[in-house]
Amino acid sequence: MSDDAVVKRLKVIVKEHGGQLALANAIGVDQGFISKVINRKQDVSYYLIRKLCFQLKYSPEWLILGTGDKMIHKQDSAKLITEIQMLRTEVDILHARMRAYELELEEIKGATPNSQQQAG
């Protein structure tokens, strides 16, 4: 997901809702949070995407990828939100696995010099 592209679409949503404060009130977040994301001082979060999709019915496909319809149809909304949640869970699992591999790699790198010193 390109944060720049998502921020661009977030700006469209802000404009449609009459500004950052109106959007923040509509989805129950602080206006400063919206401002930080737009000004790239904070990453686009799953939390924000979920609120925009679930509460305002923006399509996750449009918001994240820039494809498809901007708004989701009522019968599709629950299914799409569930899919987003499942994808988020998969991402969290992949991040945890990646961190475990990084730690394992650090251990291996740390063990290698000691093995060479003992052999020498």
Side-chain angles (χ1 to χ4, degrees):
M1 166 173 62
S2 166
D3 278 356
D4 290 339
V6 175
V7 167
K8 181 179 177 182
R9 288 183 285 281
L10 177 58
K11 288 179 182 179
V12 169
I13 295 170
V14 167
K15 188 175 180 180
E16 288 178 354
H17 285 273
Q20 292 180 16
L21 184 58
L23 177 61
N25 289 336
I27 61 173
V29 300
D30 185 66
Q31 181 270 330
F33 174 65
I34 302 284
S35 178
K36 286 178 184 177
V37 173
I38 286 176
N39 293 304
R40 293 172 177 82
K41 293 180 180 176
Q42 185 167 334
D43 290 337
V44 176
S45 66
Y46 165 71
Y47 173 77
L48 178 60
I49 290 171
R50 186 186 69 183
K51 286 206 165 266
L52 293 169
C53 296
F54 187 69
Q55 291 178 241
L56 301 180
K57 306 300 184 208
Y58 283 95
S59 165
E61 179 183 351
W62 174 79
L63 186 56
I64 296 168
L65 302 174
T67 60
D69 294 333
K70 186 191 303 184
M71 304 302 287
I72 52 179
H73 305 288
K74 193 170 187 173
Q75 68 271 17
D76 296 337
S77 62
K79 178 183 171 195
L80 290 171
I81 297 303
T82 301
E83 288 176 9
I84 291 172
Q85 291 171 333
M86 289 175 16
L87 289 171
R88 178 60 189 186
T89 301
E90 288 179 30
V91 167
D92 289 344
I93 290 168
L94 289 173
H95 279 223
R97 286 181 181 165
M98 196 170 182
R99 183 62 187 144
Y101 289 135
E102 287 171 354
L103 292 172
E104 188 177 329
L105 183 60
E106 286 175 16
E107 286 180 22
I108 292 169
K109 285 181 179 179
T112 303
N114 293 338
S115 300
Q116 290 176 350
Q117 287 176 356
Q118 289 174 355

